[in-house]
Amino acid sequence: MDRAQLADFLRTRREALQPEDVGLPRGPRRRTAGLRREEVASLCGMSADYYSRIEQRRGPQPSEPMLASIARGLHLSLDERDHLFRLAGHNTPSRTLRGDHITPGLMRILDRLEDTPAQVVTDLAETLTQTRPAAALLGDETRFTGLERSLVYRWFTDPATRLLYPEQDHERHSRFFTSELRAASSRQGRGGRAERIAELLREGSAEFAALWAVHEVSLPRNEPKRIVHPDLGVLELHCQKLVDPEQAQALLVYTATPGTESHEKLQLLNVLGVRAPGS
């Protein structure tokens, strides 16, 4: 771990990042070049004291998950992220398409959608980050670990996952999720995580096995999408998808037609808490 270089690198990246880049107001009394340490700490999901000690060359060696949070909070590029890991004395993360590092471009867009249900997902339907309204609408989907990180896997193994959609729509979602997993498996090739998930689901779910045998690939999304909320009832929403092909990630943004009941319900998400798991 190179404490001096790590501290200098974090300071320069912090000073180069402007409040507008992360959706923060500049304010009339701002004198600090770029962001303040406490602002970066908040973006990274850590205490201001912890982050400040690293930047002051007196902190502990950050763990790999902590470094990943810092890279995400500072909107680092992949090269900058790898440099950060090396300075901290860790091996660099794999640069496979499955990487959890969200590109700066997607993060900048997401930061401007704080009042809108939006989230970044991988091609295996793993949620990497969500806005607060998205967590209120869909639940905290970043809390899952292992195979359960994939919504496709949970859909065929955990009945509670299906409570998110009306029962009449389940068959359509099953076909869509299966077709998306087949497309991901094709992109990743033999030995990829998509192939492993498909193998496990074929063994454990007769429904998935039957759909997998049909060989449907990337079925079109049907709009609008109906989502069941425990307090608001059914919302009919449109899901816009912005794809980052280099990272096999996508930004999903949920909207409703103005003037509709669903549009009115969507506005209430900002005052509701994160929905309970399985509700």
Side-chain angles (χ1 to χ4, degrees):
M1 177 179 176
D2 189 332
R3 292 181 183 274
Q5 289 296 316
L6 175 61
D8 288 348
F9 178 67
L10 291 178
R11 176 182 54 78
T12 58
R13 292 306 89 205
R14 172 174 60 82
E15 293 178 351
L17 200 60
Q18 301 304 311
E20 301 81 29
D21 295 331
V22 296
L24 295 176
R26 175 168 291 277
R29 298 182 179 180
R30 179 176 293 272
R31 297 178 180 177
T32 304
L35 297 181
R36 301 185 180 99
R37 286 173 179 164
E38 57 268 25
E39 290 172 332
V40 171
S42 178
L43 291 170
C44 299
M46 62 188 63
S47 71
D49 178 68
Y50 181 89
Y51 178 82
S52 295
R53 283 188 290 137
I54 297 176
E55 215 180 272
Q56 294 168 352
R57 308 184 183 186
R58 57 186 181 88
Q61 182 185 31
S63 65
E64 292 184 2
M66 194 65 75
L67 290 171
S69 296
I70 292 175
R72 185 175 302 173
L74 287 173
H75 292 197
L76 300 184
S77 67
L78 286 176
D79 287 336
E80 289 172 332
R81 180 205 64 179
D82 290 351
H83 182 61
L84 173 68
F85 271 70
R86 294 189 190 100
L87 291 178
H90 291 284
N91 293 325
T92 59
S94 171
R95 284 209 185 192
T96 62
L97 288 178
R98 187 252 158 190
D100 291 350
H101 178 76
I102 303 174
T103 59
L106 283 185
M107 283 301 300
R108 282 193 293 271
I109 297 173
L110 188 71
D111 287 336
R112 286 162 172 75
L113 297 172
E114 60 179 14
D115 294 330
T116 303
Q119 58 189 33
V120 177
V121 301
T122 70
D123 61 348
L124 295 179
E126 300 163 320
T127 300
L128 302 181
T129 187
Q130 294 174 289
T131 61
R132 187 179 183 281
L137 175 67
L138 306 169
D140 180 7
E141 295 189 340
T142 65
R143 64 186 174 86
F144 296 101
T145 59
L147 292 171
E148 290 190 346
R149 292 184 66 201
S150 170
L151 173 59
V152 180
Y153 183 82
R154 298 197 308 273
W155 180 261
F156 291 100
T157 60
D158 181 7
T161 301
R162 302 198 175 199
L163 297 177
L164 185 63
Y165 302 105
E167 186 175 356
Q168 305 95 302
D169 299 345
H170 288 182
E171 180 180 355
R172 174 166 56 87
H173 286 300
S174 293
R175 289 181 58 202
F176 176 78
F177 290 144
T178 302
S179 73
E180 287 289 281
L181 184 61
R182 182 171 286 283
S185 179
S186 176
R187 287 191 297 268
Q188 293 180 10
R190 297 296 299 275
R193 291 184 69 248
E195 182 182 61
R196 176 56 177 161
I197 290 175
E199 290 176 352
L200 292 173
L201 290 179
R202 286 203 306 272
E203 296 172 358
S205 170
E207 179 190 15
F208 176 84
L211 291 171
W212 186 259
V214 180
H215 282 264
E216 292 180 316
V217 181
S218 291
L219 291 176
R221 290 178 176 270
N222 289 328
E223 297 287 357
K225 175 184 293 187
R226 299 196 299 170
I227 294 177
V228 180
H229 190 277
D231 299 316
L232 302 177
V234 178
L235 291 83
E236 290 194 352
L237 304 176
H238 297 274
C239 181
Q240 277 71 44
K241 182 177 181 181
L242 176 62
V243 178
D244 180 353
E246 292 186 1
Q247 283 296 99
Q249 296 172 357
L251 173 64
L252 306 182
V253 182
Y254 295 89
T255 62
T257 303
T260 64
E261 182 180 358
S262 293
H263 185 266
E264 295 177 0
K265 291 179 178 179
L266 209 57
Q267 312 312 307
L268 298 176
L269 290 176
N270 290 314
V271 298
L272 295 176
V274 177
R275 64 185 294 171
S279 65

